[in-house]
């Protein structure tokens, strides 16, 4: 049963009780929140996901709640919980839904050490996956949204999940987090796509989340072979430039974006080494996403 198979009111009732357990492929999240806006956006963005029953335990039980301090009466805040643990300082009430998504990322990065975890998007076409590791401001999520709605399968926007034994990449399909001007751009390119309300003035700027394509959700357990690593860099005054990276530079770029290679030790080093040895790596500078799409569909990685 998918989340959308129950009514929004039933979903809200179950979220208040913490009785919504969503299968995200590599992990299951049990989610609790009594906040109506969180309930609404979660139902809106996760409607296509499969609900697990009570016999399937969640890997993480998370919640977004109002703190019980006096401050809630004059400057409301919210906090994120993993079980009863509060890992972050409270944030403004208006940021409740983004905090849930950021907290879920933190759960994975801090605890799911049976995989190599990289900060990077992953998309796949014809069975071959491309990793896009990049720091904030590179245009990664805008590029991810564009590709995900242009024939590529979304595996992840924020977190690349690499199997330590096989080297295959596992999907971790979640809503795509857009920031600032990219929100209106994606709305104009794909008016049929569902996008959450905008949370203003977060530490990342204005943010909104894009519902993943249902085809990506339906293939949430289908792994893919990594074909290439592409470091994107949006540069307003530059048409598409492509620079090949040496193996050493590719390793450094991936290591810089790894969440847990130091935790994994030798296993993490070997996973990174195998990833670099078996893939081509380039850095691209671009100001036109259509040119990037053409390069990925028809360029050196299309063979």
């Amino acid at each position: 049963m998918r989340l959308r198979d129950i009514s929004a009111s039933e979903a809200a009732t179950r979220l208040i009780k913490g009785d919504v357990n969503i299968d995200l492929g590599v992990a299951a999240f049990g989610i609790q929140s009594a906040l109506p806006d969180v309930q609404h956006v979660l139902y809106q963005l996760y409607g296509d996901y499969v609900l697990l029953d009570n016999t399937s335990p969640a890997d993480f039980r998370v919640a977004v709640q109002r703190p019980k301090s006096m401050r809630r009466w004059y400057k409301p805040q919210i906090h994120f919980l993993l079980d009863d643990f509060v890992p972050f300082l409270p944030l403004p009430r208006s940021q409740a839904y983004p905090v849930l998504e950021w907290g879920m990322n933190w759960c994975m990065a801090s605890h799911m050490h049976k995989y190599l975890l990289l900060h990077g998007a992953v998309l796949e076409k014809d069975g071959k996956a491309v990793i896009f590791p990049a720091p904030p401001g590179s245009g990664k999520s805008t590029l991810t949204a564009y590709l995900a709605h242009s024939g590529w399968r979304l595996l992840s926007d924020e977190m690349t999940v690499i199997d330590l034994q096989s080297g295959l990449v596992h999907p971790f399909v979640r809503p795509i987090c857009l920031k600032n001007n990219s929100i209106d751009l994606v709305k104009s390119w794909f008016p049929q796509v569902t996008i959450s309300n905008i949370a203003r003035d977060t530490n990342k700027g204005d943010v909104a989340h894009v519902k993943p394509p249902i085809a990506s959700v339906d293939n949430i357990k289908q792994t893919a072979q990594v074909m290439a690593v592409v470091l994107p860099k949006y540069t307003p005054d530059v048409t598409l430039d492509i620079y090949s990276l040496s193996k050493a530079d590719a390793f450094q770029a991936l290591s810089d974006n790894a969440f847990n290679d130091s935790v994994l030790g030798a296993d993490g080093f070997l996973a990174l080494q195998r990833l670099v040895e078996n893939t081509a790596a380039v850095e691209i500078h671009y100001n036109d996403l259509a040119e990037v799409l053409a390069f990925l569909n028809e360029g050196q990685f299309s063979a």
Side-chain angles (χ1 to χ4, degrees):
M1 181 172 65
R2 299 177 192 258
L3 179 59
R4 60 176 155 80
D5 292 330
I6 63 176
S7 67
S9 60
E10 182 182 350
T13 299
R14 291 178 59 169
L15 280 166
I16 292 171
K17 298 176 181 176
D19 186 24
V20 169
N21 191 358
I22 295 178
D23 182 9
L24 296 179
V26 292
F29 279 77
I31 301 172
Q32 190 274 331
S33 183
L35 304 175
D37 52 326
V38 172
Q39 296 166 356
H40 171 73
V41 177
L42 188 82
Y43 189 77
Q44 183 184 40
L45 300 182
Y46 283 86
D48 295 328
Y49 287 74
V50 171
L51 288 178
L52 300 175
D53 59 30
N54 293 333
T55 62
S56 302
D59 296 283
F60 302 102
R61 302 209 65 82
V62 301
V64 177
Q65 299 176 349
R66 295 177 180 175
K68 296 179 180 178
S69 65
M70 293 299 293
R71 183 168 175 154
R72 70 185 186 276
W73 299 112
Y74 67 93
K75 197 169 185 178
Q77 294 180 315
I78 47 86
H79 60 198
F80 174 86
L81 295 92
L82 171 61
D83 296 323
D84 294 325
F85 176 60
V86 180
F88 316 123
L89 294 173
L91 287 171
R93 170 69 181 81
S94 60
Q95 300 177 23
Y97 188 76
V99 166
L100 173 63
E101 292 286 345
W102 299 335
M104 292 167 71
N105 289 338
W106 173 83
C107 289
M108 286 288 291
S110 300
H111 298 90
M112 196 56 83
H113 299 314
K114 62 181 179 180
Y115 303 106
L116 173 65
L117 303 173
L118 308 175
H119 179 230
V122 190
L123 294 109
E124 172 267 336
K125 190 172 186 181
D126 299 328
K128 299 175 182 178
V130 176
I131 299 174
F132 300 88
S138 62
K140 170 181 66 64
S141 292
T142 311
L143 174 61
T144 299
Y146 188 87
L147 294 176
H149 292 282
S150 300
W152 284 67
R153 176 169 69 107
L154 173 70
L155 280 78
S156 181
D157 170 41
E158 285 288 336
M159 190 169 296
T160 301
V161 180
I162 302 290
D163 191 291
L164 291 173
Q165 280 70 49
S166 67
L168 297 174
V169 60
H170 290 261
F172 186 48
V173 181
R174 306 262 306 288
I176 301 167
C177 183
L178 298 177
K179 306 170 192 70
N180 302 317
N181 294 337
S182 65
I183 300 169
D184 286 337
L185 287 173
V186 172
K187 285 181 178 178
S188 66
W189 295 331
F190 308 106
Q192 77 284 5
V193 169
T194 299
I195 301 178
S196 73
N197 59 312
I198 299 173
R200 305 285 184 187
D201 300 323
T202 76
N203 61 359
K204 299 174 184 286
D206 294 346
V207 301
H209 287 81
V210 181
K211 183 179 181 179
I214 188 171
S216 298
V217 176
D218 284 346
N219 289 285
I220 207 163
K221 295 185 186 296
Q222 182 180 334
T223 58
Q225 186 73 48
V226 181
M227 170 182 60
V229 175
V230 175
L231 276 67
K233 185 174 183 181
Y234 175 75
T235 308
D237 56 350
V238 173
T239 56
L240 184 63
D241 280 336
I242 303 164
Y243 306 93
S244 294
L245 295 181
S246 68
K247 296 297 184 186
D249 287 341
F251 186 96
Q252 187 63 56
L254 290 170
S255 180
D256 289 345
N257 285 281
F259 287 113
N260 63 344
D261 59 336
S262 60
V263 176
L264 294 172
D267 289 339
F269 180 89
L270 292 173
L272 281 175
Q273 181 185 44
R274 178 169 55 186
L275 181 59
V276 169
E277 289 177 347
N278 293 330
T279 58
V282 299
E283 180 173 314
I284 60 171
H285 296 193
Y286 66 96
N287 67 0
D288 186 341
L289 291 173
E291 290 185 341
V292 179
L293 177 65
F295 164 68
L296 294 171
N297 285 340
E298 304 164 11
Q300 68 190 82
F301 303 139
S302 62

